Amino acid sequence: MKNKCSSQKKCVVKRHGHIEIFDGKKVYASCYAAALNSHHPGEHAEKIALDVMKKVTRWAQSRRSMSSADIRNQVLKSINDKDVMLMYRHHRDIS
């Protein structure tokens, strides 16, 4: 398997061991969905998701590789709304 990682690309080691390139848009999408499911209006959900994506992307810049669990934990640390945090935390369990 060709290594997808380079100094410019950050690798994510998934739960089952395969590797993907870090994509901040996935962080945004999951946070946006959690905020909408927490009954935040679209504009506020976008603000929450963008804030979390920026924080997590900044955190990821200092790493060459990380696990999906590391990203998940960082997302949870970055969410300031209790309801969104709860929805995000349990999303994997209900999807």
Side-chain angles (χ1 to χ4, degrees):
M1 170 167 61
K2 184 178 177 184
N3 190 351
K4 297 179 187 179
C5 299
S6 70
S7 59
Q8 279 75 33
K9 296 181 180 177
K10 309 301 178 185
C11 292
V12 178
V13 180
K14 304 297 276 185
R15 282 190 289 171
H16 297 292
H18 69 279
I19 296 173
E20 291 183 6
I21 302 301
F22 174 78
D23 183 357
K25 291 180 280 191
K26 288 185 175 184
V27 171
Y28 178 93
S30 61
C31 291
Y32 180 72
L36 287 178
N37 286 325
S38 299
H39 305 292
H40 286 285
E43 211 170 278
H44 192 238
E46 288 176 7
K47 184 181 179 315
I48 291 169
L50 187 60
D51 181 55
V52 173
M53 181 186 75
K54 286 178 181 177
K55 289 177 183 176
V56 174
T57 299
R58 198 173 316 121
W59 167 84
Q61 292 304 313
S62 65
R63 287 153 180 76
R64 181 152 187 236
S65 68
M66 63 213 83
S67 71
S68 52
D70 293 335
I71 295 169
R72 188 171 183 77
N73 289 336
Q74 198 62 36
V75 167
L76 287 167
K77 287 179 186 177
S78 300
I79 297 173
N80 296 323
D81 184 287
K82 290 187 303 184
D83 294 329
V84 176
M85 186 185 302
L86 183 65
M87 189 60 68
Y88 181 86
R89 179 179 286 132
H90 295 290
H91 178 261
R92 190 176 63 193
D93 299 334
I94 60 176
S95 62

